[in-house]
Amino acid sequence: MPALSLTDLQHRVETLNGFPSLPAILFPVLNQLSANTDEIDLHKTVQMVSHDGALSSQVLHMANSPLFGMRQRVNSLRGAALTLGVHRLRDIVTSCCLMQVSPRTSEVNAAALWEHSLACALVSRNLARKLGYSDPERAYLAGLIHDLGLLVNMLLVPKEYTAAYKKAASARRSLRDVELEEMGLSHEITGDLLCTHWHLFDYLSEVMRRHHDVEKATLDPMLTALVNIADLLCRTSGLGYGYTEDLVVTLQEEPAWRIINEHSPRVKHLDMACFTLEIEAYVNEVRAMVNALFCL
Ligand SMILES: [Fe+2]
Ligand SMILES: [Fe+2]
């Protein structure tokens, strides 16, 4: 298959021809990221979400998942916002909005992509907390959207992407390596193009661009390294891209692990065996939640 040209892809991303429009609420919600907690208007956020029926039921479903640590069931968006806090509500809304634009065809496993993304978000935040990274919520968002380029490829270059996905799955190889071979470029490039087009934050752009090439991260290397390790841990724990990869990870040999060691003295106290067990406990819950959200 001929390699895709960057100019052609750039043009497709700029026109977003074939990309479904996102629920209108996503950008106002993402903009709340830059506001101080006391400036965030909870009432307004809840009101915006409640205008979208499908989104409201997805948010409530997700808010009631044990993954988000709710002790008691919530039945209203306002109740969810008050119990979870506005940042967690924002994370849930972002997850639901992005899932709404995913293709539902069986050829490419979009549900698996969201299982992976959601798991990476949870693992990135958890790892960030344990390692004393200053903004664990930022780590959640970065984990959630690190592979957004795969969604771009599914939607904008479906033929090329499907061929690469099938080849990677049958050979149990890294999707990124096969994308590079088959398409001439991989999802980090398209994710970054989308980030620029949507005017997302620079740190998100860097994570999209560098999460498989962490040594080139300059803006927030620790964040990119956290997402890289979360990605590897999820892929080796059954929360990859919907197929089993022949992937063996030795943390000490990973460039991201070296960066984490440079930035966090707490890494010495991290019990990795215990941490990996925690991830395995997510598997069924993440799967059940994504499946339910895809059906709502
Ligand atoms: Fe990736
Ligand atoms: Fe990934």
Side-chain angles (χ1 to χ4, degrees):
M1 191 170 295
L4 292 161
S5 91
L6 187 58
T7 327
D8 179 34
L9 258 179
Q10 204 158 5
H11 177 70
R12 290 194 205 194
V13 171
E14 271 157 17
T15 52
L16 286 183
N17 193 3
F19 205 99
S21 51
L22 281 162
I25 185 181
L26 181 61
F27 291 111
V29 169
L30 278 179
N31 280 337
Q32 301 249 18
L33 265 175
S34 51
N36 295 322
T37 310
D38 52 351
E39 286 168 17
I40 295 172
D41 188 338
L42 189 64
H43 179 68
K44 201 168 138 206
T45 310
V46 168
Q47 234 181 5
M48 284 194 287
V49 179
S50 63
H51 287 313
D52 185 325
L55 184 62
S56 303
S57 46
Q58 282 185 322
V59 169
L60 271 180
H61 187 92
M62 213 166 163
N64 280 305
S65 158
L67 290 172
F68 285 87
M70 295 290 286
R71 288 209 182 83
Q72 312 126 298
R73 228 189 129 66
V74 286
N75 297 311
S76 69
L77 284 175
R78 192 170 163 72
L82 289 172
T83 321
L84 291 165
V86 78
H87 282 117
R88 202 156 285 187
L89 180 70
R90 179 205 64 209
D91 294 340
I92 291 177
V93 169
T94 310
S95 314
C96 294
C97 286
L98 292 172
M99 266 186 254
Q100 277 191 17
V101 299
S102 297
R104 297 292 200 266
T105 57
S106 54
E107 292 243 276
V108 287
N109 197 341
L113 170 64
W114 288 111
E115 285 170 18
H116 171 71
S117 304
L118 199 58
C120 277
L122 293 162
V123 174
S124 300
R125 179 165 61 198
N126 207 354
L127 201 53
R129 282 203 192 112
K130 288 191 194 305
L131 295 174
Y133 175 71
S134 58
D135 193 342
E137 296 304 325
R138 178 181 279 211
Y140 179 95
L141 195 64
L144 181 72
I145 67 168
H146 75 286
D147 275 335
L148 208 52
L150 289 174
L151 181 66
V152 176
N153 293 351
M154 274 179 206
L155 292 163
L156 299 191
V157 282
K159 220 168 63 204
E160 292 86 347
Y161 176 78
T162 306
Y165 182 85
K166 283 184 175 166
K167 188 174 172 186
S170 65
R172 299 164 68 111
R173 291 180 57 206
S174 143
L175 182 53
R176 186 232 189 185
D177 291 351
V178 180
E179 271 181 323
L180 281 170
E181 275 171 26
E182 293 290 304
M183 296 163 46
L185 46 85
S186 58
H187 60 277
E188 301 102 286
I189 308 282
T190 41
D192 190 27
L193 288 175
L194 187 69
C195 238
T196 308
H197 185 70
W198 280 353
H199 306 291
L200 294 183
F201 302 97
D202 287 349
Y203 71 86
L204 288 179
S205 194
E206 178 168 84
V207 170
M208 287 219 205
R209 184 77 184 223
R210 303 295 179 203
H211 67 271
H212 293 297
D213 199 7
V214 289
E215 287 173 304
K216 293 203 176 126
T218 52
L219 207 59
D220 194 343
M222 176 69 172
L223 181 67
T224 309
L226 284 170
V227 172
N228 173 282
I229 295 297
D231 171 81
L232 292 172
L233 293 175
C234 289
R235 283 160 60 198
T236 51
S237 305
L239 286 163
Y241 302 106
Y243 62 90
T244 308
E245 263 180 83
D246 289 329
L247 174 69
V248 179
V249 177
T250 308
L251 281 183
Q252 286 67 22
E253 289 169 12
E254 291 298 328
W257 196 246
R258 186 183 49 71
I259 294 172
I260 288 175
N261 270 274
E262 280 167 15
H263 285 79
S264 170
R266 288 203 207 170
V267 71
K268 291 179 207 71
H269 308 294
L270 184 69
D271 182 344
M272 265 330 272
C274 194
F275 190 72
T276 311
L277 276 178
E278 278 176 35
I279 300 172
E280 281 165 16
Y282 294 160
V283 176
N284 290 337
E285 191 54 43
V286 166
R287 275 205 190 121
M289 183 160 64
V290 171
N291 281 331
L293 292 176
F294 259 65
C295 296
L296 281 173

